[in-house]
Amino acid sequence: MAFDEPTVFEQSVEGRKGYQTPKLDVPAFADKMLSADLLRKKAAKLPELTETDITRHFTRLSSQNYAKDLGFYPLGSCTMKHNPKTANVAASLPAFELTHPLQDIATAQGNLQICWEMQNYLAEISGMDAISLWPCAGSHGEFVSLLVIRAYHAAQGNPRKKVLIPDSAHGTNPASAAVCGYDVVTLKSGPDGELHPETVKAAMDEEVAAIMITNPNTLGVFEENFKEISDIVHAKGGFVYCDGANLNALMGAVQLGKIGADCMHFNLHKTFAVPHGGGGPGAGPIGVVKKLEPFLPKPIIQKNGDTFSVDHNRPHSIGMIKSFWGNFACTLRAYAYIRQLGKEGIKKTSQMAVLNAKYIRKRLEKAYHMPFRKPVLHECVLSDKIQNEYGVKTMDIAKRLMDYGFHPPTVYFPLIVPGALMIEPTETENKQQIDAFCDAMLAIADECRETPEVVKTAPNVSFRARLDEVRAAREVKVTAAL
C-alpha cells in the first residue's frame, strides 16, 4: 500500500469534474458588481478531480491519522477522552438543530431552559453564585474572567496593575493577563510542586488585581494551601481566579467556590462531552461569586415562573462577548452528559480519572524518575532523568511509543520539570488499556538500557521517519500558484 499521498494539485487531470450544475439561465453580473481590478484575468488553476478521486484522497489521509476513537491518547492537561455519542445525538435533534438564532424568544423557550439549567448545574459543581455560558473557549473564559475582575476594580476607582501567576500555570494564563493589560508576576512553586502562602504574601499588594491558580495544578497535585492563599489575596482586595482546566479531578468532591475561588472557567470541550481539538467550536463558561455578578457578559437568562427571558439591561456588564447564545451545540452536549451521569455519576467520573492516574504512576515509578513525591490526582508527570544516563531523551521516548501503537503524551510541559512526560489517562480508559500502555512504557525503559539506539531512532515502524517538527511548524510552504 502506498503511503505517500500526492496533493490534490498533483492528482489533478485536466477535464475531470466532481460537480454538475445546470446551465446559467440568468444574466451573469459579477463583472458589473465588482471593479475591474478585483476580477481575474484568467481562471484559477484549481485541481480538477472527480468526486471519487477526492473522496478517496481524504479517506486515505484520514486513515493515516491517529484519533481518540482509535486508541489511547494520554495527553496530560488536555483531557483527550472518549465522549459519549449520545451527546452528539442530543445536539443533532431537529428541534435544536433547526433553531434560528434570530427567531422570537417565545418560540425558543426550550433552548433557554437548557441554558438556564446548565448554569445551575455548573454553579452546583463549582460552588459559584452565577454563571455565564457565552465564552467560546477555555482561553476565552480566562480572558473574559479577567475583564470581569478588571471591571469590578475599575468600578471601585482603580483597575489595578498586576496579576500573580505560579510557574506551574497553563501558558494561556499569562497570555490572557497580558492581553487584558496587566503586568504578569510569576510566582515560583515550592520544592514539593505546590504554591506556598509565604510566596504569595511577599508578592501581594493593593496593585494586584488577581491571582490565577490551576487546581489541581499542572503536576496533577492538589494545591493544599489554596484556602490560605485565597485569604491572603482577599485581605489585600484581590480576587482568586481558578483555571478550571483540570476540573475533571474534583467534580463532586470539591467546590472551588467554597475554598476561596472567586472566579473560574469550565472547559465544556474537555471536562464534559464536547469534542476537543481541531480549533473548535468549543465552550468555556465562567462562574463568579456574588459581587462579580453585575459585571458578567450580557445578556443574562432569567426565569419568571415557567417562562424564560434574556436581560440586556445590565449597566455594569462588560458587554456582549459572543453573538446569540454562545456555542449552543456545545452547551447541549455538556447538558446531555451531565443529565446522563447525574450527581453520583459526575462524582464517579472524577474518582475514575484520579484512580487511573494514580495506577499509572504506581506502575511506572521504579522505571521513570518522578520529580515530585506528592500524591497525584488526575494526571502524573515523569521525567527522562533516568533514561538520560543512556543518552535517551523525552522526545525519543515519546516517538518510541508510536511504534507501540500509542499516541505520545504531552512532552516538555510543565516547564518547571526538565524533560517532562505528562500523562493524563482520563476516566474513560479501562484497566486493560492502561496496562497495555504501562507495559509499553516499561518495555521502552528496558530498551533505553539495553538497546538505546532503537529508542533514539524512533519511530521505526511508522510510514514516516522522525520529522523536524519545529521546521514543519514554522516553514509553511504553499507551492500551488492559483
Side-chain angles (χ1 to χ4, degrees), residues 377-398:
L377 293 184
H378 65 302
E379 61 193 4
C380 59
V381 177
L382 327 175
S383 90
D384 61 0
K385 187 174 181 180
I386 295 174
Q387 288 69 35
N388 273 341
E389 296 179 20
Y390 311 102
V392 178
K393 299 179 180 178
T394 289
M395 187 59 76
D396 303 323
I397 298 167

Side-chain angles (χ1 to χ4, degrees), residues 139-153 159 162-165 172-182 184 209-212 239-241 263 286 288 292 318:
S139 54
H140 194 206
E142 291 177 23
F143 174 68
V144 172
S145 296
L146 288 178
L147 288 181
V148 168
I149 289 172
R150 187 182 183 86
Y152 173 89
H153 286 308
K162 298 183 287 187
V163 170
L164 308 182
I165 304 178
T172 48
N173 287 184
S176 296
V179 172
C180 283
Y182 286 114
V184 174
I211 186 170
M212 301 179 81
F239 287 102
V240 177
Y241 169 84
C263 187
I286 62 171
V288 298
L292 290 174
I318 62 170

Side-chain angles (χ1 to χ4, degrees), residues 23-231:
K23 187 177 179 181
L24 191 65
D25 59 358
V26 295
F29 62 88
D31 56 344
K32 297 181 178 60
M33 299 289 290
L34 300 173
S35 60
D37 60 321
L38 295 176
L39 295 174
R40 283 185 172 278
K41 302 297 183 293
K42 57 183 180 181
K45 292 182 179 177
L46 297 175
E48 298 178 67
L49 300 164
T50 65
E51 182 175 320
T52 307
D53 295 332
I54 207 71
T55 300
R56 288 176 177 170
H57 169 70
F58 284 110
T59 301
R60 283 193 294 267
L61 288 179
S62 70
S63 70
Q64 294 174 11
N65 276 338
Y66 189 94
K68 191 69 194 71
D69 285 350
L70 289 173
F72 189 30
Y73 211 116
L75 284 188
S77 223
C78 283
T79 320
M80 299 295 284
K81 67 179 186 179
H82 172 78
N83 293 306
K85 304 307 180 192
T86 49
N88 289 337
V89 172
S92 60
L93 290 173
F96 297 122
E97 201 173 46
L98 299 179
T99 305
H100 194 285
L102 290 176
Q103 74 184 59
D104 193 318
I105 290 296
T107 64
Q109 288 290 297
N111 298 33
L112 291 183
Q113 180 177 350
I114 283 175
C115 289
W116 189 80
E117 291 181 2
M118 187 65 183
Q119 291 176 179
N120 292 338
Y121 292 150
L122 294 180
E124 172 67 20
I125 289 170
S126 64
M128 292 291 165
D129 295 318
I131 303 291
S132 171
L133 299 175
W134 308 152
C136 54
S139 54
H140 194 206
E142 291 177 23
F143 174 68
V144 172
S145 296
L146 288 178
L147 288 181
V148 168
I149 289 172
R150 187 182 183 86
Y152 173 89
H153 286 308
Q156 312 311 308
N158 177 13
R160 302 197 173 197
K161 297 178 179 176
K162 298 183 287 187
V163 170
L164 308 182
I165 304 178
D167 58 6
S168 61
H170 289 107
T172 48
N173 287 184
S176 296
V179 172
C180 283
Y182 286 114
D183 295 331
V184 174
V185 178
T186 302
L187 303 180
K188 188 172 176 54
S189 301
D192 56 357
E194 287 190 51
L195 184 61
H196 289 267
E198 56 269 26
T199 305
V200 178
K201 198 168 187 177
M204 193 64 207
D205 59 33
E206 281 79 6
E207 283 301 329
V208 173
I211 186 170
M212 301 179 81
I213 309 179
T214 304
N215 200 12
N217 65 27
T218 54
L219 297 168
V221 174
F222 186 76
E223 293 281 4
E224 295 182 358
N225 303 306
F226 193 89
K227 180 67 173 66
E228 189 176 348
I229 288 171
S230 299
D231 291 342

